[in-house]
Amino acid sequence: MNGYDEKRQLDEDAFGAKGSIVSAFDAFPKSKPQYVTRTTAGGKWTVFVALVSFILFWSEASRWWRGSESHTFAVEKGVSHSLDINLDIVVKMRCQDIHINVQDAAGDRILAASRLHRDPTVWQHWVDNKGIHKLGRDAQGKVVTGEGYLQGHDEGFGEEQVHDIVSLGRRKAKWARTPRLWGATPDSCRVFGSLELNKVQGDFHITAKGHGYMEFGQHLDHSAFNFSHIISELSYGPFLPSLVNPLDQTVNVASANFHKFQYFISVVPTVYSSSGKSIVTNQYAVTEQSQEVTERIIPGIFVKYDIEPILLNIVEERDSFLVFLIKVVNVISGALVAGHWGYRISDWCQEVWGKRRRRAGGPSEGMLGGKGHERDE
């Protein structure tokens, strides 16, 4: 009837998918390939969504790899007795002309010169023509102080990530060697090493012989005073070259023979923790004052330190890999949904704009492709 063959079998695949009862609950219906049209606009949106998804994935992966740091303060518990101080300083005076001592609030006077290493050196080996510390930073921005690790390990100074600090801090470090003189006359003295002190307020100072302490038969001429100095390392606690401290790379030049440099330091006990590992060390804040003084005041380098009764915990945390995967799925899914809606809206806008242009352009085509009826004159 009307050209329709009732005996012809209909293609049921064109109207629905065959399958078990479970397929009726499919929440992800699919269209057959013959009913899907690929367009240029769809291809552009696909490339755009793929690029955005990759950027979001890379950002999430980088954030997960770096982890997050948390800083908490607490009152330091337990009873402490000793504190190490690590020093690497170059003073522009001969080694036999300087005194190095420590005096703390407990009344103990420690002759630091007997516990530290003193090597004659040349000032120009440590600074360039502009007075800048030669032991500055490398091309990667890491601080290079000359202290290296055993077994030829690369220097890793200036690391800011907690896991890098913990990893490098667990390796044994040693002091670098003093540059050779190669026949030059030494005009400076390098003082370096570690001291075990009482964990109380104290004063570490470098003065000229015969000035500051009563000594028989020793009095250095005032014209030999020159307390210009370079601090390559000044830290408290275990010697960890991977930690950059406020006074590292400090260059101070005395403008007169009688010049007094003072550094006021507040030491804060600090614990770095990452991946179940931790190291105990100290950080500090410093205030510096320097001025020319009269002959009635003792010139020199004075480091006054005080121990704060608080403990700083710096913990690096990282989500588990499962949580990371869930976040990645959420981010990429959101990008795909947003891209789908963006394509639908752009396609709708293009269709509306096309209809308006066709209406404004004159008579339209007929339904079957024929010419439209002309308007009555």
Side-chain angles (χ1 to χ4, degrees):
M1 185 177 184
N2 294 332
Y4 175 74
D5 188 1
E6 297 180 354
K7 296 181 179 180
R8 188 174 61 182
Q9 299 293 330
L10 296 177
D11 186 7
E12 295 183 357
D13 292 340
F15 297 94
K18 290 182 177 181
S20 62
I21 300 177
V22 179
S23 61
F25 300 96
D26 188 3
F28 307 97
K30 306 162 188 65
S31 301
K32 289 186 173 295
Q34 57 266 32
Y35 302 128
V36 177
T37 303
R38 300 183 183 275
T39 62
T40 303
K44 294 179 179 179
W45 273 95
T46 301
V47 174
F48 174 74
V49 171
L51 180 61
V52 172
S53 299
F54 176 77
I55 295 175
L56 294 176
F57 168 78
W58 184 262
S59 175
E60 192 67 32
S62 301
R63 188 182 299 108
W64 174 78
W65 179 256
R66 292 192 304 267
S68 59
E69 295 182 8
S70 61
H71 298 69
T72 57
F73 289 92
V75 177
E76 186 179 16
K77 299 179 180 180
V79 180
S80 302
H81 301 280
S82 61
L83 174 68
D84 292 337
I85 178 173
N86 310 295
L87 178 69
D88 188 353
I89 184 173
V90 177
V91 183
K92 201 173 183 180
M93 293 177 64
R94 296 183 305 172
C95 291
Q96 61 268 27
D97 293 340
I98 60 176
H99 255 312
I100 310 169
N101 294 283
V102 179
Q103 189 167 3
D104 56 33
D108 292 345
R109 177 188 169 188
I110 301 174
L111 299 177
S114 60
R115 302 185 184 182
L116 296 174
H117 303 281
R118 293 190 294 178
D119 290 342
T121 185
V122 179
W123 182 262
Q124 294 301 323
H125 288 172
W126 300 87
V127 295
D128 56 18
N129 295 330
K130 297 180 180 180
I132 305 301
H133 199 344
K134 286 184 178 180
L135 303 179
R137 297 177 181 269
D138 59 14
Q140 287 73 35
K142 295 182 179 180
V143 177
V144 180
T145 60
E147 297 98 355
Y149 299 107
L150 295 177
Q151 301 178 356
H153 191 279
D154 293 337
E155 293 178 327
F157 310 127
E159 302 292 348
E160 298 179 355
Q161 301 297 326
V162 176
H163 60 268
D164 293 327
I165 295 175
V166 173
S167 177
L168 295 174
R170 297 176 68 87
R171 302 183 182 185
K172 187 176 181 180
K174 67 175 183 178
W175 299 97
R177 295 181 179 178
T178 304
R180 295 183 180 180
L181 296 176
W182 299 108
T185 303
D187 60 355
S188 303
C189 181
R190 182 196 179 197
V191 182
F192 64 98
S194 299
L195 282 173
E196 184 177 353
L197 310 174
N198 297 322
K199 196 174 181 180
V200 294
Q201 180 182 3
D203 184 359
F204 176 90
H205 47 267
I206 300 176
T207 57
K209 280 194 174 182
H211 296 77
Y213 294 95
M214 296 297 296
E215 293 178 300
F216 296 100
Q218 293 185 350
H219 184 83
L220 185 65
D221 188 80
H222 296 173
S223 61
F225 291 178
N226 189 346
F227 289 100
S228 301
H229 58 277
I230 302 169
I231 301 177
S232 298
E233 174 80 20
L234 179 59
S235 59
Y236 294 85
F239 177 42
L240 304 174
S242 58
L243 290 179
V244 180
N245 298 284
L247 284 178
D248 293 353
Q249 313 305 309
T250 298
V251 180
N252 253 335
V253 179
S255 58
N257 297 115
F258 278 81
H259 203 110
K260 186 175 184 179
F261 297 93
Q262 296 184 92
Y263 299 97
F264 301 91
I265 293 177
S266 297
V267 181
V268 179
T270 306
V271 178
Y272 291 93
S273 302
S274 176
S275 302
K277 302 177 181 178
S278 62
I279 58 172
V280 180
T281 181
N282 298 274
Q283 295 187 98
Y284 63 84
V286 60
T287 301
E288 182 260 342
Q289 291 183 351
S290 62
Q291 58 182 349
E292 297 183 21
V293 295
T294 63
E295 295 185 2
R296 295 183 178 181
I297 299 178
I298 300 173
I301 304 170
F302 298 84
V303 180
K304 303 178 184 295
Y305 58 90
D306 193 8
I307 314 299
E308 300 295 337
I310 59 175
L311 177 66
L312 173 61
N313 288 285
I314 303 178
V315 181
E316 183 182 68
E317 300 174 335
R318 183 182 300 172
D319 294 331
S320 64
F321 189 71
L322 178 60
V323 175
F324 166 68
L325 289 180
I326 294 175
K327 289 184 177 180
V328 169
V329 171
N330 290 338
V331 169
I332 295 180
S333 299
L336 295 177
V337 172
H340 173 73
W341 278 104
Y343 169 72
R344 294 290 298 271
I345 293 174
S346 64
D347 186 59
W348 176 79
C349 293
Q350 185 178 4
E351 182 179 355
V352 172
W353 179 255
K355 288 182 179 180
R356 291 185 178 181
R357 291 186 61 184
R358 285 194 295 270
R359 290 176 182 176
S364 59
E365 297 290 335
M367 294 299 295
L368 299 178
K371 296 294 183 181
H373 295 287
E374 297 181 357
R375 297 182 181 178
D376 295 338
E377 297 182 355

